[in-house]
């Protein structure tokens, strides 16, 4: 009997000790005390502003220090378009600490989205304005393939005067490449892209030697060669002789 009474006493003592700890950790007690009044943010602030972060966090600061949900804060800030990731912590007695990592844009995707250096597609209102970035296009489920092909093409054109500014993959699996001069290179079948590019680049220096300007269009879809369209060169007008009249 005494043993049972002693066991009950121990259980009550443990409950009295554990309950306040669990309560504090869960925010049950002092939810409206020790309010969080300070926000410290470490961020690059290149695309994300302090005002945007403050607006995302503010609705979640109504509770006390212990009741503040860090996971909710992180999700709210991570929802901002330019935010890649967020680390949140608390410092007693009234401070919320945030470390915000911004997305680093690598290329445009289908004209109205951006691709981060981590390979994530994200939307921002002014995506079309980032026209200095490579222009990559293709089906959404082939993003990795398009990015990989762009890297391969850039490497293949190293050493030429041509600068690759974008690649596109159609729904039917046809590749095309664009350059900084506005020229388009149609490669065609994705399964033959490597061979067709090598064939083009092997002879392109000799072909281009006789043309002062860059080509406008190249079609590599031929079995044993390719077709190139060059800009028309306008002949310079002949200077009239003294006393003469220009011919019509």
């Amino acid at each position: 009997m005494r043993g049972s009474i002693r066991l009950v006493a121990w259980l009550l003592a443990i409950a009295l000790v554990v309950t306040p700890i669990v309560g504090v950790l869960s925010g049950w007690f002092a939810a409206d005390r020790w309010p969080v009044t300070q926000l410290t943010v470490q961020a690059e602030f290149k695309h994300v502003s302090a005002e945007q972060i403050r607006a995302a966090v503010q609705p979640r600061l109504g509770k006390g220090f212990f009741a503040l949900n860090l996971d909710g804060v992180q999700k709210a800030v991570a929802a901002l378009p330019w935010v890649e990731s967020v680390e949140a912590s608390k410092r007693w007695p009234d401070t919320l600490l945030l470390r915000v990592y911004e997305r680093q844009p690598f290329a445009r995707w289908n004209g109205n989205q951006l691709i981060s250096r981590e390979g994530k597609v994200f939307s921002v209102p002014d995506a079309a304005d980032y026209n200095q970035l490579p222009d990559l296009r293709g089906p959404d489920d082939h993003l990795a393939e398009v990015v990989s092909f762009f890297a391969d093409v850039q490497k293949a054109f190293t050493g030429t005067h041509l600068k690759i500014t974008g690649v596109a993959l159609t729904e039917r699996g046809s590749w095309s490449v664009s350059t900084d001069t506005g020229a388009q290179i149609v490669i065609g079948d994705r399964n033959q892209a490597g061979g067709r590019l090598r064939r083009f680049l092997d002879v392109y220096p000799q072909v281009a030697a006789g043309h002062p300007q860059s080509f406008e269009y190249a079609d590599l879809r031929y079995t044993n060669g390719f077709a190139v369209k060059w800009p028309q060169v306008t002949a310079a007008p002949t200077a009239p002789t003294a006393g003469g009249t220009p011919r019509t």
Side-chain angles (χ1 to χ4, degrees):
M1 184 67 177
R2 289 182 178 178
S4 299
I5 295 174
R6 190 173 299 171
L7 178 60
V8 172
W10 273 107
L11 291 175
L12 287 174
I14 292 174
L16 290 173
V17 172
V18 173
T19 301
I21 295 176
V22 174
V24 169
L25 293 178
S26 302
W28 296 347
F29 301 110
D32 57 347
R33 297 182 183 179
W34 302 295
V36 175
T37 59
Q38 303 294 325
L39 174 62
T40 300
V41 181
Q42 294 180 350
E44 189 176 0
F45 291 122
K46 185 175 181 180
H47 300 290
V48 182
S49 68
E51 290 73 19
Q52 288 176 312
I53 296 174
R54 188 180 300 111
V57 172
Q58 190 65 41
R60 300 180 178 274
L61 299 183
K63 297 181 179 180
F65 183 87
F66 294 108
L68 179 61
N69 187 327
L70 292 181
D71 184 59
V73 169
Q74 289 181 179
K75 289 180 179 179
V77 178
L80 296 174
W82 280 101
V83 173
E84 181 69 35
S85 62
V86 185
E87 296 175 2
S89 60
K90 292 183 283 188
R91 185 172 65 195
W92 178 260
D94 62 354
T95 302
L96 170 63
L97 305 175
L98 294 178
R99 184 185 295 272
V100 180
Y101 299 91
E102 293 189 8
R103 299 185 190 276
Q104 301 298 319
F106 156 70
R108 288 175 290 156
W109 179 244
N110 288 328
N112 57 5
Q113 291 181 298
L114 298 177
I115 308 172
S116 72
R117 295 191 180 276
E118 288 72 25
K120 303 290 183 62
V121 175
F122 63 102
S123 300
V124 293
D126 55 348
D129 295 339
Y130 288 81
N131 50 21
Q132 78 280 7
L133 296 176
D135 183 22
L136 308 186
R137 298 173 181 267
D140 289 333
D141 57 346
H142 288 274
L143 170 67
E145 182 182 3
V146 174
V147 172
S148 178
F149 184 72
F150 174 70
D152 291 343
V153 171
Q154 279 192 310
K155 184 177 180 179
F157 277 80
T158 300
T160 72
H161 71 280
L162 297 172
K163 180 181 178 181
I164 304 305
T165 57
V167 299
L169 176 66
T170 67
E171 292 285 351
R172 299 180 62 181
S174 178
W175 286 113
S176 62
V177 174
S178 56
T179 74
D180 61 338
T181 64
Q184 294 292 315
I185 304 173
V186 179
I187 301 173
D189 189 353
R190 71 212 295 184
N191 298 318
Q192 302 182 48
R196 290 177 177 179
L197 268 179
R198 285 191 296 271
R199 184 175 62 196
F200 174 72
L201 290 172
D202 283 345
V203 299
Y204 175 72
Q206 291 78 18
V207 174
H211 298 271
Q213 295 178 293
S214 178
F215 64 93
E216 295 180 346
Y217 179 84
D219 189 344
L220 314 189
R221 294 173 294 179
Y222 292 83
T223 303
N224 298 314
F226 54 84
V228 178
K229 178 183 178 182
W230 301 92
Q232 292 183 350
V233 178
T234 303
T238 304
T241 58
T245 56
R247 295 182 177 181
T248 59

